[in-house]
Every structure is written in C-alpha cells, then in structure tokens.
Amino acid sequence: MNADKYSSGNLVLEDSDEVLLRSVESLAKKLEPKPLFAFRFMFFSVILILTKLYDFHLGSVTESTLWRSTDYGSTYERLNDKVGVKTVLSYLYVCPTNKRKIMVLTDPEFESSILISSDEGASYQKYRLNFFVLSLLFHHTQEDWALAYSHDQKLYSSFDFGRKWQLVHERVTPNRFYWSVTGLDKELDLVHMEAHTDGHCQYVTCRAQACSESSRTYPFSGYIETNSLVVQDEYVFVQVTTTGRASYYVSYQREPFVRIKIPKYSLPKDMHIVSTDQGQVFTAVQEWNQNDTYNLYISDTRGIYFTLALENVRTSRGLGGNSMIDLYEPFCSLHLQLQMSENPYLSGSISTKSSAPGVIVATGNIGSELSYNNVAMFISSDAGNNWRQIFEEEHNVWFLDKGGALVAVKQPTVPTRHLWISFDEGRQWTRHSFSALPLFVDGVLVEAGAENQIMTFFGHFSHRSEWQLIKIDYKSIFTRRCTEGDYQTWHLHNQGEPCIMGQKQIYMKRRPGNYCMVGWDNSRILSAEPCICRAHDFECDYGFDRRGDGNCLPAFWFNPSTLSRSCSQGQNYLNSTGYRKVVANNCTKGVKEMYTARKQQCLNRPPRGLVLTTHDDKLTANMGSNVTFLVRLEEGDSMRTNIQLDFGDGTAVSYSNLSWTQEGIRHVYRSAGIFRVTTLAENSLGFDTSSLHLHVTCPVEHIQLLAPYVVIKNKEVNLTAVVWPSHFRTLTYFWWLGNNTEPIITLDSSISHTFSTEGMVTVTVQVSSGDSILQNTRSIAIQEFFKSLLLSFSPNLDEANPDIPEWRQDVGRVIKKAVLQVADIPEEQLLVAVFPGIPTAAELFLLPSRNQSDGRKRTEEDLEQISEILVNALNQISVEFELKPGSRVIVYITQLTLGNKTVVLHTPLLGAIYCSLDSPGKIPWINIYAEVNHEKEQEMISTVGQNDATPKITLNEFSTQKELMEKELEACAKPPLVDSIPRHSSSAMLMLLSVVFLGLAVFLIYKFKRNEMIGTWLSTELDKRPLSGKLAALSLHIVISELDPRDCSRQVLHGGVMDVFCIHQPGYSGRNEERLKYYRDARVHGLDFLSVASYDFTKHKRCAAKCRFNKVVNCQ
C-alpha cells in the first residue's frame, strides 16, 4: 500500500454553471500545516481513510487520524478514541479474501503494535509486537494467514490474523518471500523465500508453521543472486552470476531447475519477468549492446526456450518502477508511453477495461521518437488499429459505469475546477465543474459497489492547505437503464484480419452515444470460432531466425542436432522444423502439420561435445565442502553412453548412462591442492573426454616466516614461509624485501635472495588464499662477518613459554639486558634471537662495531675478546633474569670451549653449533640441538656463515634408539664445518679432514665397543641400585642415576661415553643455591651442565633425565 494525502471540503458538481449534485459534508478535522500521507480503502458502502501529519522540521510523522464512512463518503467518523488517542498509525491493510477484516500498524517510532478489526473497521483489538513490521503479505486463500517482514530482515507468520506471530526465517531479502501456489505446492502454508546464509543468497522453502533447520529445503542447489527470486504462477525464476556473466534458471510446475535458453549471444545484462499469463513467460531482456532499450522475448510453455518477440523497447527508468516504454522506430508515427504509476488512485498512461472491449486510452506523442514534451491523450475504439487525439495535455482517464462512460481530469501537477465526461468512447466530451476553487487532484476512487455510481476525488488547494475529499454521485447523469437495443456486436480484428491468435471473436458492447446506464458488466464474447492455421500463427523456434523472406532458418551458432542429444536408440524425438505455434494460438489444420515438429527415430551415435563444469561454474572450492560436477553431452545416445568421472584425488565414479548425472555428481575433497578432474563418455561407437582443473583450498590460519637473524653480505640466503594448515601450490606468496616497491611473487613457499648492503633489513611475506591475506615480518641484520653463541635456559622458562612471536621478542629483550649487565659491550653490537619451539633456546649474535676505522682484523679480534668474556660469564652462571617474582631464569651457554679454535656446525633449528678442538689426538664433544617431532616435519633455516651454502634441512622422525645414535654420530661426521671468522679459513680443509676422521673413529667405537663401553658401566649401576632406581631408558643422551653428581661423572667418563650428560641427585629437594653447588662441583670434574630441573622425588620414584642435545626436557 502506498501513502498519499487527504482531507475534505464542500463539493459542488456543475454542468454549464448548473448544480447537478448536492454538496457533501466536509470533515471537521483540519490538519495543518503540512501535507499528510494517507491510505484509503472502500468495500461496499464503507470507506476507511488514514491521514498522517508529517512535520518537515522534525522529519517525521507526529500524529495520525483514522476516519470511517458507512454511507459512501457522505459522512465520516473519527476513530482515534477506538484505536488510542495518542496512538500514531502508519499503515492500513485490508484482507484480500475477506474485506471485513482490517489490520492497522502503529508507527514504529512510537511503539510496535497491531490493531485488528473483524467488522469493517468499526472496532479494534490491540496487540503488542516484539518486532517492527515493514510489510505484510496475506495468503491468497486463507483469510487468517499472513506473513510479516520486520526491520531486521526477519520473516514472521501468523495463523490467527495477527494475534500471535512466530519466526519463520532470518536474513530474508526484502519483498522476496511468497506464499504457496494452490495446485503446485503440496502444503498450503509453504513459504518460498530468498535468504542469506554465510554471506550468500539461497532459495529456501519451508512450512511457515514449522520452519526449523531440519525441515528447510533448498530447491536450487547453489547460491543465487540477491533480489533474483521470482515465484509466479507455475514458474520459479532465479539468477546466478559467475565471472561477471548472468545465467537464469526456471522451474516449471516445481520440477528441477533448468537453465533458460535465450539466443546464445544475447548475453543479457538485465532481465525482468513481465508476465506469466496464458501458459508462457513474457520477459524483457537488456542485451550486452543495449543501454536504454530492451528486447521482449516470449517462451515455450515450460519457460525454457525463448524467442524474440519485439526489439528495441525503450525505457527511461527500468521496468521495475515508474517507466516510459516505447517501441523505438526511427520514423514519424505515434509513440505511446507506458507509465507504471506508484499511485494506485491514478489511471496511468495506458488504460483499458474488459467491460469496454476494444477501447484503449493512452498517453503519447507524434513524431520520429518518444518524447516527454508535447504529450497528448489518444484513444482507440478498435483495439489499437486506429487512434485519434482527445486532449492536447496529459490527463488521467477513468472508466465509469462498467465502461459505459469516460471521465478525464488534468494531471495532479496542474490545479483544475473541471472534469470531462464522454459517453461515445471519447468522440465528444462535456465539461463539468466540481469545485469552487482550482484543486490539485491526487487521486480518484470509482465504483465502490456494483449497484451505485459514486466517484470520490481527493486533493488539495495548495501544499499548505488541508485536504479536500469530494464525493460525486453521477447516477443522475443517466436518464434510464440500458436495454438490449442499446448494445451492438463488435468484431475483433487486426487491420481487417478477423483471425487473431487463431480464432475469430465477436463481442457485445454498448452502442457509443447512448446515455443509458449499464449498471452491470454486460459485455461478453458472443462467439469464438477457430481459424485455419497460417504462417503468421507460428513463430521461429529456439535457435532459428526469421530471414528477409519470412522463413525461419538456423542461427549461425545453433546446431539442430543437439535437440536429440538426450535421445536413446529405439526411441523417438521431436525434430524441429524451425517453427513453433504461439502458445495461446487456437488455430487448427492448415499448415499446422507442416510446421509442427516431427517425430523421428533416434540413431545411435558416438558421444560428441562432452562438457564438464561445476554447478556454479567456479573452479575453486573449499576443502571439506560439497563440490557438484555437471556432465553435459551435446550429441550421442545418453542412455547407452557410459560416464566415468575421475576426481583427481585417487577416487572415481562410473555411471551406466547420463541420466544418473542429471542432478550433478557430488564429491568432497579432504585435502587442499589443484586437482585435474576428468570425465569420459564412451559407447560402442566411440568416446569423448573433458577435463577441468579444480583449486581446492582451505583458509590459512597462521603464517610464519623462517629466516636467519643475521646473514653475510653478498651471500645467498633462503627465506621460507610456513603456513598452517599446509597447502600444496594453491597459495600465492608476495615477498617484500627491504625498501623494494614491487614484491617478488611466487607459488613456492621459499625463495633465495642475496643482500648486498649492510644494515637492518625488513622482510615481509604475504600469503593470498581466496579473499584473505595473511602476513609475517622479520628483521634481518646484514654483516660482513659476525660471531654467535647458542644459549639455553633453566627449565622454568619452558613452563612460561606460550611459543608466540611477541613472547620471544620480549624474552630476547630481557636476555640482552641481562647480558649487558655482566659485560661492557655496546648495545648495538648485541643481538638476541629466541627460537620457536620448546625447549626454549636462543642465539646470541656479536656484530662488528659500526665504526671499523681500526681495520677488519682488529674488529675480528675485538669480537673474539668479547666472545671470551661472555663465555666466561655464562660458564660461571652469572647471567640470569627474573621471569616473575620468585622465579629467576639462568642463562647457559651451549658451546664447549676446550680448545683455541671455534668450529661452527650449522643445524636446522638453531643455526650454528660450536665444536671445540682441543688437540689432534682428542675426540671433540660435538653437540647438536634439535627437537624430535613425531607429528609433522619442520623446515628451519640455519644461520648463514661466510662460507655457508645455506642448505635447507628437514628433521625426520627418530624411530629407534639405534637410529638416534647413528644419526647423531653421522651428523658430527658430515661437513660443512665452517669458521665464521675469515682468518681461520686457511685451516678449513684441515678441520674438514679432521672431522671426517673423527667421525669414522666414533663410528668404529660405536660399532665394536658399544656393548663393552656402555654395558659394563650399566651393569655396575644396575647391580648396586634398587629396582626403583634402575635404568628405565637408554638412548642417546639419556642416563638414569642416583649417584652423587661427582661419582656419576667419574663413572660416565670412565665408561668412555663420549658425550655430555645431565645428572640429577634423586631425592634431593634443597634450595636452588645449594643444588647449584653440586653442579659446580661436577663441572670441576669435567662435566658441563647445560640445564637443570628440580622435582619432588617423594612422589616420583624414578627419574629419567633426558638430555637431548644438552637439554633437560623431562624428568618423570
């Protein structure tokens, strides 16, 4: 219902200054100062008017009044006391199936309520609502059923005429909900709606009385375009847009959706359903090369195949609202405007009435094209064959007395005192005055009842005046009722051709010029006789164009043989002749048989034109979601053609014929990647294949950039992005290096790069997955040379390690501060990097001074000196920091310093590990730090030394104790052993050979002496220990002992085990200071303690001190 303006005043109808009708009482209420919006409804003798006062200063409605008349508008009663004196009303609705029932809504700015009347508005009951109603939709057969749409996009239903409401669905598109259609939908309370789910639109149906998630159905498999659902008569339409191109689908009589077939290269930009009358669809399509014009298409009965009906229909505002439509023809002719008025009380630019056969009143202009200037009024008495002008200005024209008379009033933009009446189909008009002052006529209600002749005008004198309501009873104009002699027959024709749509029709209508009153609809069809079929009764079939000679021939893009693609051998199909009879045409015989499609026997043919697509034409899918594949075959015996579909992930399906795939083949991908999906169609005569590449992705939740903290200038370095969950070549990586304005774009998660300038460089990697982008940033120091030390910590730091970047940055800053407190080192020469993972470890970098005026050799010596100072401080357990009150963390060095040369062993997790060479005859202690991860492999980047080739190492699982020991020994025997100080490079080869020999020696010792070396010592321990303290586990770097640390260290060294062990004192639970005494004592005997832990051994009878890579990780 639309809002308009009303009030009332004294009315006078004059004919040549003679008063014909009595005046009518005016409404007592004068509403000022601004216009009012109003709704009015008439049923039989009752008229309801709702007026609203709009305050332009406040920008809102401030009051309303509900009026009621029971005598065709002669008198009105004010109903504010019945609805609430202070109640502000907004809309008034009349039940379409029982006009005695009224609903009135309150203004949501004041309250949310509904007022209900069952006695034509005489009395009301008020009910509170917990939502604001924007619109109502009544059921077409059930008078108490209604749907309400709320301001927050929720749809509610009521089955007691608005007294109680229940939620149907949320996030429903405005004006895209429909009641069931009788005869098509099984349930009367079924609701069709367009709803939003996860940011997409879907076509949803469910019963309004029980619309739970489990009871909802989705007739169209896939997402649809917003505001595209249309449910009308036997048809349901939806639109799908992919890659910028729109596709339209139709369901006929609730059958599965089929893609609408419009001529191939129409490529519609816009499409509107104009009508679905008479068993076919009439639609307006704006094609790719049209801007302000449309082409009109008409369909077959099922609404699938469309052919062109009219070209270049021009519209000024689109077909949805007020519009001017014209058949664009570039020559002088009559151009008619079709204006769809938003005001239901105006006549519109074209009007006709079934009770006045052949009479059409229209607005238009004469010229070479449609124009909005010099608009005039035209009328036709023979259904548009001939036209004549009746007014030089635009008027509203209404049919009176069932079409027996016409009344015309100027448009509301022009005030007037007069109206015009014609009794001879517009050939002669008489003027009558109906107001003492010129009135802006905003609307007219005519024919309130079947037995009365009442016309009600409403308008205003000025924009600041009250509204005038004028009632005119025009019964006195007629002198008598019409008799049989007042009627004549009229033959419908088209330029003299009597056969219209295949039949001859003869109507009965009143003779023009007779001043008798019809009173009832006496127009009727006297006879309807079918005609012999001729060529113009047929239109070109889909895929055929009408040529200059009038014949329909295949379009260049159409292959007629495709019509038999679903045909199986032994069956018949209809082979088009290029013509089809217009759906509503009733002709018989004649050329009907020649133009009608002929039955032909299906032939067995090899499959051709196999097409594989996804249901939404997209080549991307989310991992774990359903992907529906569609297989289409242009030619071939679909019932005897085997279809195979390989999903590309190791699974495939096979179908005996194409009919099994009509609704699509669904598959769920459990992993991300790019999959080549292939389909094969094969029968006894041949085969055809088709394929597509489907990108299956899952959202990236986390990205981590793995890069060294310090690298050597002009040396290549590896940068790696690790994403979770892992993807295989389905992501795009953007690498921003330093101040580069353009990124390096890769599909691989790693790149190699060489930095040529010293200083700090920021590296950012972004990963693009679908419509989301994640990034991670690292700062890298570029130096010509540097030194570094590996650090480990007391186990209480692991307990507080959440393993997130922010925590590592904060701890690194605290470690740096603690180191600076024990050594006089410039802050800019110190860099601390805490590594991801647990146990917690870090690397301490010593960088050259920015001022190297003393030369590189002196700078290297300074780094050596600083390194020795830090090693001593760390060995003396002098570096510590407070993690939280009462919890101090001790920093240890992972490096062993028994010789005068430092050898760097690059490892995947920590970068550089130092092995010390004491003398040529002594085997070094080679310490490797890594964490065994039995869940998934990790890729880490080592610190880049000057002569480092920067290999990327993958950590594999350690499955057995023997493999653990062998891999550790092999790791110490493998190159490269690289010196980070260039002056040591002269001995690199010697050291390399030394390590090779040392590795071989260790291997031989392990191979031939391990039972004697380890077994003897273990036997001694097992013999003298109680069961609770016996060996619980043995693997590389694992020793269980209840000895005093000093005795244990002697046993270990005496046993010849070439490694460092972490020894605990079982049962001891003293203070940290006393416990550390044991560690210092043990170190005197040659045992390095790298980390320690204290446990309550009264609860834990067995202690397993696991020293994996010189680090305690567990003691249970």
Side-chain angles (χ1 to χ4, degrees):
M1 299 302 171
N2 298 300
D4 280 294
K5 306 171 277 189
Y6 302 94
S7 186
S8 67
N10 292 329
L11 319 180
V12 180
L13 180 63
E14 298 180 272
D15 183 12
S16 301
D17 298 326
E18 179 181 356
V19 177
L20 298 181
L21 298 178
R22 65 182 178 84
S23 72
V24 180
E25 292 184 28
S26 66
L27 294 180
K29 179 67 176 178
K30 181 178 180 181
L31 301 176
E32 291 185 351
K34 291 295 181 182
L36 290 163
F37 294 94
F39 294 91
R40 63 169 56 218
F41 295 88
M42 298 179 65
F43 12 68
F44 305 108
S45 61
V46 177
I47 300 176
L48 285 178
I49 299 176
L50 172 62
T51 62
K52 297 185 288 183
L53 179 61
Y54 184 86
D55 191 318
F56 286 95
H57 299 289
L58 297 177
S60 62
V61 174
T62 57
E63 63 176 279
S64 66
T65 303
L66 184 62
W67 308 87
R68 183 173 184 263
S69 172
T70 59
D71 52 8
Y72 301 106
S74 297
T75 60
Y76 284 87
E77 176 189 4
R78 182 173 178 171
L79 302 180
N80 281 33
D81 57 335
K82 296 184 178 181
V83 299
V85 176
K86 295 184 178 180
T87 301
V88 179
L89 306 177
S90 60
Y91 292 98
L92 186 152
Y93 293 89
V94 178
C95 176
T97 55
N98 183 355
K99 293 188 177 182
R100 295 180 59 85
K101 292 188 174 183
I102 313 296
M103 279 191 190
V104 185
L105 301 179
T106 60
D107 193 320
E109 295 292 330
F110 298 89
E111 62 174 308
S112 181
S113 299
I114 187 169
L115 292 97
I116 297 172
S117 173
S118 299
D119 52 8
E120 296 182 327
S123 61
Y124 294 88
Q125 293 176 303
K126 191 174 185 179
Y127 296 89
R128 292 281 184 180
L129 301 176
N130 58 3
F131 60 94
F132 297 140
V133 178
L134 290 185
S135 62
L136 288 174
L137 179 64
F138 291 95
H139 197 277
H140 53 280
T141 61
Q142 304 297 313
E143 62 185 52
D144 290 335
W145 293 10
L147 296 174
Y149 186 77
S150 70
H151 69 292
D152 53 355
Q153 296 186 322
K154 293 180 181 179
L155 188 64
Y156 296 85
S157 63
S158 174
F159 296 90
D160 54 5
F161 203 70
R163 292 169 176 83
K164 291 181 295 184
W165 297 88
Q166 61 188 26
L167 179 66
V168 178
H169 205 290
E170 297 181 345
R171 298 185 296 277
V172 177
T173 305
N175 302 317
R176 297 295 173 175
F177 48 91
Y178 309 85
W179 278 112
S180 61
V181 177
T182 304
L184 294 174
D185 296 306
K186 295 180 180 179
E187 297 89 6
L188 276 177
D189 66 334
L190 189 73
V191 178
H192 305 260
M193 52 194 157
E194 180 182 292
H196 293 255
T197 56
D198 302 326
H200 301 280
C201 276
Q202 286 185 286
Y203 169 29
V204 185
T205 61
C206 67
R207 300 189 65 178
Q209 299 185 71
C211 189
S212 62
E213 181 65 37
S214 59
S215 64
R216 295 169 187 166
T217 59
Y218 301 86
F220 184 80
S221 60
Y223 299 122
I224 65 175
E225 193 73 14
T226 303
N227 283 313
S228 70
L229 176 66
V230 175
V231 180
Q232 193 167 304
D233 297 328
E234 298 175 299
Y235 307 93
V236 180
F237 305 92
V238 296
Q239 175 186 342
V240 176
T241 301
T242 55
T243 62
R245 182 177 295 182
S247 300
Y248 301 90
Y249 293 82
V250 62
S251 168
Y252 175 67
Q253 294 185 344
R254 306 304 185 261
E255 294 176 355
F257 278 88
V258 179
R259 187 169 180 172
I260 288 176
K261 302 293 185 181
I262 300 176
K264 187 173 182 179
Y265 294 107
S266 297
L267 305 177
K269 296 189 298 184
D270 192 17
M271 181 176 179
H272 295 271
I273 305 301
V274 177
S275 73
T276 54
D277 296 337
Q278 299 180 339
Q280 61 183 157
V281 181
F282 192 49
T283 183
V285 176
Q286 187 172 62
E287 302 185 7
W288 65 274
N289 57 351
Q290 293 179 308
N291 293 319
D292 58 353
T293 60
Y294 282 75
N295 288 345
L296 300 183
Y297 286 86
I298 195 166
S299 77
D300 61 347
T301 302
R302 300 175 60 84
I304 300 174
Y305 295 98
F306 283 77
T307 59
L308 183 64
L310 291 173
E311 289 187 284
N312 295 322
V313 177
R314 177 173 294 177
T315 175
S316 60
R317 293 180 54 187
L319 297 176
N322 288 347
S323 60
M324 299 292 184
I325 298 178
D326 171 52
L327 300 183
Y328 180 70
E329 297 290 347
F331 51 83
C332 185
S333 60
L334 173 61
H335 298 266
L336 300 182
Q337 298 176 351
L338 175 59
Q339 182 175 4
M340 300 185 182
S341 175
E342 294 178 354
N343 184 348
Y345 307 111
L346 297 177
S347 65
S349 59
I350 293 183
S351 58
T352 184
K353 199 172 186 67
S354 60
S355 57
V359 179
I360 305 173
V361 181
T363 305
N365 66 280
I366 297 176
S368 60
E369 63 182 3
L370 180 68
S371 173
Y372 305 122
N373 300 318
N374 302 319
V375 175
M377 300 301 298
F378 299 86
I379 193 169
S380 173
S381 297
D382 55 3
N385 285 281
N386 299 284
W387 294 86
R388 58 184 182 275
Q389 184 174 327
I390 54 177
F391 294 108
E392 294 182 352
E393 296 176 290
E394 192 171 0
H395 284 62
N396 282 290
V397 180
W398 293 272
F399 289 82
L400 301 180
D401 188 34
K402 305 300 181 183
L406 299 174
V407 60
V409 179
K410 285 187 177 181
Q411 283 284 7
T413 56
V414 181
T416 182
R417 296 175 54 243
H418 306 287
L419 58 81
W420 300 82
I421 296 179
S422 173
F423 293 91
D424 56 0
E425 297 179 352
R427 292 177 176 84
Q428 294 181 351
W429 294 83
T430 58
R431 190 182 73 170
H432 301 269
S433 297
F434 66 91
S435 175
L437 298 174
L439 181 74
F440 292 92
V441 178
D442 293 294
V444 176
L445 287 174
V446 295
E447 299 193 21
E451 296 300 325
N452 64 82
Q453 287 72 36
I454 292 177
M455 180 169 51
T456 305
F457 284 71
F458 56 92
H460 58 284
F461 292 130
S462 70
H463 292 291
R464 299 187 62 87
S465 69
E466 70 272 17
W467 293 101
Q468 303 297 315
L469 185 63
I470 302 173
K471 171 190 173 182
I472 301 175
D473 189 340
Y474 57 87
K475 183 184 298 184
S476 60
I477 298 178
F478 304 102
T479 58
R480 60 183 177 85
R481 283 189 175 271
C482 295
T483 62
E484 186 175 350
D486 293 311
Y487 293 90
Q488 67 178 15
T489 59
W490 176 76
H491 295 256
L492 177 65
H493 66 94
N494 179 17
Q495 299 297 324
E497 170 57 52
C499 288
I500 306 297
M501 297 298 290
Q503 65 179 357
K504 298 177 182 178
Q505 296 182 13
I506 302 176
Y507 290 83
M508 177 74 74
K509 69 176 184 177
R510 197 187 67 167
R511 295 179 183 274
N514 288 12
Y515 284 76
C516 62
M517 182 175 63
V518 175
W520 65 90
D521 188 0
N522 197 38
S523 63
R524 62 186 184 276
I525 298 178
L526 289 180
S527 65
E529 176 184 337
C531 300
I532 299 299
C533 289
R534 290 177 290 179
H536 63 256
D537 294 311
F538 291 80
E539 59 191 1
C540 290
D541 204 351
Y542 172 77
F544 292 81
D545 293 332
R546 193 174 295 276
R547 304 302 169 88
D549 57 1
N551 294 321
C552 296
L553 298 177
F556 74 95
W557 50 267
F558 182 67
N559 181 4
S561 64
T562 59
L563 296 176
S564 63
R565 65 176 180 271
S566 59
C567 186
S568 182
Q569 187 176 11
Q571 297 178 342
N572 296 321
Y573 75 98
L574 293 176
N575 186 18
S576 175
T577 61
Y579 300 86
R580 71 182 186 193
K581 194 173 75 168
V582 176
V583 173
N585 194 288
N586 296 311
C587 72
T588 60
K589 301 180 180 179
V591 299
K592 181 177 180 180
E593 183 177 352
M594 182 175 64
Y595 283 167
T596 301
R598 301 180 180 89
K599 280 188 178 181
Q600 289 192 0
Q601 189 173 11
C602 301
L603 300 176
N604 192 12
R605 291 176 295 174
R608 290 290 182 270
L610 183 65
V611 179
L612 173 64
T613 62
T614 59
H615 78 287
D616 54 3
D617 287 330
K618 293 182 179 179
L619 297 177
T620 61
N622 292 326
M623 186 179 71
S625 64
N626 263 319
V627 182
T628 302
F629 295 97
L630 302 178
V631 180
R632 186 173 71 253
L633 187 63
E634 294 294 338
E635 297 181 28
D637 188 345
S638 61
M639 298 301 296
R640 287 180 171 81
T641 299
N642 177 269
I643 301 296
Q644 300 177 28
L645 184 62
D646 187 339
F647 299 108
D649 61 350
T651 58
V653 294
S654 179
Y655 298 91
S656 59
N657 59 67
L658 197 63
S659 63
W660 294 100
T661 69
Q662 288 181 354
E663 295 184 2
I665 304 170
R666 296 185 178 183
H667 184 65
V668 177
Y669 287 88
R670 301 298 180 185
S671 61
I674 303 176
F675 300 91
R676 185 174 187 269
V677 186
T678 305
T679 183
L680 169 68
E682 185 176 19
N683 62 20
S684 58
L685 298 180
F687 67 93
D688 195 8
T689 62
S690 181
S691 64
L692 60 82
H693 291 85
L694 184 69
H695 293 239
V696 178
T697 62
C698 63
V700 176
E701 299 181 10
H702 178 70
I703 179 175
Q704 181 178 351
L705 173 60
L706 302 181
Y709 294 91
V710 184
V711 300
I712 298 297
K713 183 177 72 173
N714 295 326
K715 291 295 181 181
E716 193 174 67
V717 59
N718 283 343
L719 305 173
T720 299
V722 178
V723 297
W724 191 90
S726 61
H727 292 65
F728 177 70
R729 298 184 67 83
T730 59
L731 304 176
T732 303
Y733 298 87
F734 299 84
W735 304 87
W736 301 87
L737 306 176
N739 296 323
N740 291 354
T741 58
E742 294 292 334
I744 298 174
I745 304 175
T746 67
L747 294 178
D748 293 324
S749 60
S750 296
I751 65 168
S752 296
H753 186 71
T754 300
F755 296 96
S756 58
T757 304
E758 289 191 40
M760 296 300 296
V761 174
T762 299
V763 176
T764 299
V765 61
Q766 294 178 320
V767 58
S768 174
S769 175
D771 56 356
S772 65
I773 294 181
L774 276 70
Q775 75 174 34
N776 192 217
T777 300
R778 282 280 300 274
S779 294
I780 301 176
I782 315 299
Q783 299 291 334
E784 288 192 2
F785 55 91
F786 62 90
K787 284 185 68 68
S788 68
L789 302 173
L790 288 179
L791 305 178
S792 56
F793 309 91
S794 52
N796 56 336
L797 184 60
D798 292 344
E799 298 172 3
N801 185 353
D803 197 21
I804 59 175
E806 297 92 328
W807 183 88
R808 291 192 288 269
Q809 293 175 4
D810 289 338
V811 170
R813 179 176 46 81
V814 174
I815 296 170
K816 181 177 179 179
K817 182 178 179 181
V819 172
L820 292 174
Q821 290 177 350
V822 300
D824 185 15
I825 307 170
E827 183 177 353
E828 65 271 9
Q829 289 187 246
L830 203 62
L831 177 64
V832 177
V834 180
F835 298 107
I838 296 177
T840 311
E843 190 167 4
L844 178 65
F845 294 94
L846 304 177
L847 307 180
S849 173
R850 296 179 181 176
N851 183 12
Q852 301 183 21
S853 57
D854 295 337
R856 174 166 175 167
K857 182 176 180 181
R858 180 58 183 270
T859 304
E860 293 174 358
E861 293 174 352
D862 291 343
L863 288 185
E864 285 283 0
Q865 184 178 359
I866 295 173
S867 176
E868 292 176 1
I869 295 173
L870 292 179
V871 169
N872 291 333
L874 293 168
N875 282 336
Q876 294 174 11
I877 316 182
S878 300
V879 181
E880 60 181 2
F881 60 90
E882 188 175 58
L883 184 64
K884 58 184 178 180
S887 177
R888 299 193 66 80
V889 177
I890 302 172
V891 184
Y892 304 103
I893 185 171
T894 311
Q895 172 189 343
L896 303 176
T897 56
L898 300 181
N900 57 3
K901 290 188 178 181
T902 303
V903 178
V904 183
L905 173 64
H906 288 266
T907 62
L909 185 59
L910 293 184
I913 305 295
Y914 292 83
C915 293
S916 300
L917 300 179
D918 186 8
S919 63
K922 187 171 181 179
I923 299 175
W925 290 353
I926 303 174
N927 303 283
I928 302 175
Y929 183 95
E931 179 180 353
V932 180
N933 190 329
H934 294 280
E935 295 181 358
K936 73 173 186 177
E937 296 182 350
Q938 302 182 24
E939 291 186 350
M940 309 298 290
I941 304 299
S942 63
T943 302
V944 179
Q946 186 173 0
N947 296 317
D948 191 10
T950 66
K952 182 169 71 174
I953 303 173
T954 301
L955 301 182
N956 297 313
E957 293 185 357
F958 288 78
S959 56
T960 65
Q961 298 174 359
K962 179 178 178 180
E963 291 173 347
L964 286 171
M965 183 171 288
E966 288 176 345
K967 290 180 180 179
E968 287 295 320
L969 295 174
E970 290 172 0
C972 283
K974 289 181 179 179
L977 296 179
V978 183
D979 194 343
S980 65
I981 307 300
R983 62 188 176 86
H984 296 156
S985 60
S986 60
S987 60
M989 185 59 69
L990 177 61
M991 287 188 289
L992 185 61
L993 293 174
S994 299
V995 172
V996 172
F997 285 115
L998 291 175
L1000 290 173
V1002 171
F1003 178 79
L1004 292 174
I1005 292 173
Y1006 161 73
K1007 196 69 176 176
F1008 300 104
K1009 297 293 184 178
R1010 64 185 178 91
N1011 291 336
E1012 180 180 352
M1013 290 161 42
I1014 301 176
T1016 303
W1017 175 75
L1018 288 177
S1019 298
T1020 304
E1021 291 301 305
L1022 291 172
D1023 289 341
K1024 61 183 180 180
R1025 295 295 100 206
L1027 182 60
S1028 61
K1030 288 187 177 181
L1031 182 66
L1034 173 65
S1035 64
L1036 188 62
H1037 306 299
I1038 297 180
V1039 172
I1040 295 179
S1041 175
E1042 292 184 2
L1043 294 173
D1044 180 87
R1046 290 166 291 186
D1047 295 333
C1048 183
S1049 64
R1050 296 189 188 100
Q1051 289 287 343
V1052 173
L1053 295 175
H1054 176 72
V1057 179
M1058 297 173 296
D1059 219 319
V1060 180
F1061 294 87
C1062 301
I1063 309 300
H1064 291 272
Q1065 175 66 19
Y1068 184 80
S1069 60
R1071 295 178 302 169
N1072 287 342
E1073 292 80 2
E1074 296 182 66
R1075 188 184 323 110
L1076 290 177
K1077 177 177 180 298
Y1078 285 95
Y1079 303 145
R1080 297 190 184 97
D1081 292 342
R1083 185 174 286 107
V1084 171
H1085 296 277
L1087 184 62
D1088 261 354
F1089 279 87
L1090 304 178
S1091 61
V1092 296
S1094 175
Y1095 296 88
D1096 185 356
F1097 289 99
T1098 61
K1099 295 182 180 179
H1100 302 277
K1101 299 301 183 181
R1102 299 192 305 171
C1103 173
K1106 297 184 179 181
C1107 305
R1108 294 181 180 172
F1109 314 109
N1110 301 326
K1111 188 68 185 273
V1112 175
V1113 294
N1114 190 23
C1115 188
Q1116 293 289 337

